[in-house]
């Protein structure tokens, strides 16, 4: 495959662990406008959000197959933006179908190149499991937003809508565990043939930015650091993320 020298017109967005395409908010529309993209499609990991009634598949290849079914444009290559687990899934997609993925953007992702305690801060394990087990949507969303955003003024106004969404589309503990298992099924030493960009935040309290560094080093790809945003970079500083992607491969 010959990687495109210009940004693609079509993009796919994939969210992370137990998060839904709902949680992109207005970021896709901002992205589409500022990058003059023709299509931006947010797709859902089986077991999350609008697909919460589904069981997350055990094999990552099956997850990718389910994600590909959600894409309406397949006649030309596209870019993928993946955050956290979404970045791992995007990587596997690019490895399995190199002719489909021309550009790959990973946001605060991680890999087996890093130790487990850097891939997910151990202090957050208990909180996530506890809130999933007791099935308290308000407590769950407050915990996740507080853990993934470093700006309470941004996430607090979203809490009610996020809580209402969680009530309608509850995430199960079993799917959370299954999605954790998926993270071990991507070989990051197999560099995707796409044009690759890594974005990370040094203030991420959920996943260490060193995980992104390890990926960028292994792939010899460009990496940009945000100094203050949390794990959910598109939420904390959408304009910064879009700016860096806009500069990507100009």
């Amino acid at each position: 495959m010959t990687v495109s020298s210009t940004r693609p017109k079509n993009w796919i967005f994939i969210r992370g662990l137990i998060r839904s395409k709902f949680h992109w908010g207005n970021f896709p529309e901002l992205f589409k406008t500022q990058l003059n993209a023709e299509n931006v499609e947010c797709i859902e990991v089986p077991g999350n959000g609008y697909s919460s009634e589904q069981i997350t598949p055990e094999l990552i290849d099956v997850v990718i197959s389910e994600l590909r079914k959600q894409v309406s444009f397949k006649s030309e290559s596209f870019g993928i933006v993946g955050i956290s687990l979404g970045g791992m899934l995007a990587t596997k997609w690019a490895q399995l179908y190199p002719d489909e993925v021309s550009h790959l953007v990973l946001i605060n992702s991680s890999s087996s190149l890093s130790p487990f305690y850097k891939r997910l801060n151990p202090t957050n394990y208990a909180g996530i499991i506890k809130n999933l087990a007791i099935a308290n949507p308000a407590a769950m969303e407050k915990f996740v937003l507080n853990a993934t955003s470093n700006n309470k003024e941004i996430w607090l106004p979203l809490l009610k809508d996020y809580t209402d969404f969680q009530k309608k589309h509850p995430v199960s503990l079993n799917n959370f565990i299954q999605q954790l298992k998926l993270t071990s099924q991507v070989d990051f030493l197999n560099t995707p043939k796409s044009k690759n960009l890594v974005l990370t935040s040094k203030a991420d309290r959920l996943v260490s930015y060193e995980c992104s560094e390890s990926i960028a080093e292994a792939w010899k790809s460009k990496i940009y650091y945000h100094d203050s945003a949390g794990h959910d970079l598109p939420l904390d500083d959408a304009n910064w993320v879009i700016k860096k992607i806009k500069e990507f491969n100009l």
Side-chain angles (χ1 to χ4, degrees):
M1 172 187 174
T2 301
V3 175
S4 172
S5 60
T6 58
R7 286 192 308 272
K9 289 293 186 179
N10 296 321
W11 289 84
I12 292 169
F13 286 8
I14 311 177
R15 268 281 167 176
L17 192 69
I18 64 172
R19 295 280 87 181
S20 166
K21 61 183 182 181
F22 167 84
H23 297 108
W24 285 111
N26 66 347
F27 180 77
E29 197 58 42
L30 289 173
F31 181 97
K32 183 178 181 180
T33 300
Q34 294 189 35
L35 270 79
N36 194 29
E38 291 180 3
N39 297 290
V40 174
E41 293 193 356
C42 302
I43 56 180
E44 201 79 290
V45 175
N48 290 351
Y50 298 101
S51 301
S52 60
E53 76 286 350
Q54 298 180 20
I55 297 174
T56 301
E58 294 183 2
L59 299 177
I60 197 168
D61 292 34
V62 178
V63 175
I64 301 303
S65 177
E66 292 301 312
L67 293 176
R68 291 177 73 236
K69 292 177 183 178
Q70 300 176 44
V71 181
S72 65
F73 48 84
K74 295 180 181 177
S75 59
E76 58 182 283
S77 60
F78 46 80
I80 304 182
V81 176
I83 180 170
S84 199
L85 171 64
M88 299 180 188
L89 295 172
T91 298
K92 188 67 174 183
W93 192 330
Q95 291 170 343
L96 291 173
Y97 303 97
D99 290 334
E100 292 184 358
V101 184
S102 64
H103 290 64
L104 190 60
V105 181
L106 270 55
I107 302 175
N108 284 328
S109 199
S110 65
S111 73
S112 55
L113 300 175
S114 300
F116 76 93
Y117 56 86
K118 290 185 177 180
R119 298 177 68 181
L120 182 61
N121 189 326
T123 60
N124 290 303
Y125 277 107
I128 293 174
I129 293 174
K130 175 184 176 181
N131 283 292
L132 285 175
I134 64 176
N136 184 324
M140 175 67 185
E141 288 306 316
K142 185 175 182 179
F143 177 85
V144 171
L145 281 166
N146 184 60
T148 58
S149 171
N150 288 344
N151 191 331
K152 192 173 184 178
E153 292 182 0
I154 290 178
W155 68 256
L156 193 58
L158 301 173
L159 182 57
K160 183 182 184 303
D161 287 344
Y162 278 33
T163 298
D164 290 343
F165 184 81
Q166 179 68 212
K167 289 177 180 178
K168 295 177 182 177
H169 308 282
V171 177
S172 74
L173 179 57
N174 286 340
N175 278 342
F176 167 70
I177 294 172
Q178 187 53 53
Q179 288 171 35
L180 278 179
K181 292 179 180 178
L182 292 176
T183 64
S184 65
Q185 299 180 37
V186 187
D187 178 13
F188 274 80
L189 292 178
N190 176 13
T191 305
K193 292 180 172 57
S194 50
K195 183 81 174 179
N196 305 315
L197 175 67
V198 178
L199 303 179
T200 190
S201 176
K202 287 190 174 182
D204 188 341
R205 292 174 290 117
L206 193 69
V207 177
S208 171
Y209 72 89
E210 294 177 359
C211 295
S212 291
E213 283 186 327
S214 297
I215 295 171
E217 181 179 351
W219 291 0
K220 295 180 173 57
S221 68
K222 187 70 177 179
I223 181 171
Y224 290 107
Y225 300 89
H226 195 291
D227 290 330
S228 61
H231 185 67
D232 196 339
L233 246 172
L235 175 61
D236 277 5
D237 198 342
N239 288 327
W240 183 88
V241 174
I242 292 172
K243 180 176 182 290
K244 294 306 178 184
I245 298 176
K246 194 172 183 179
E247 296 171 355
F248 186 23
N249 205 31
L250 287 177

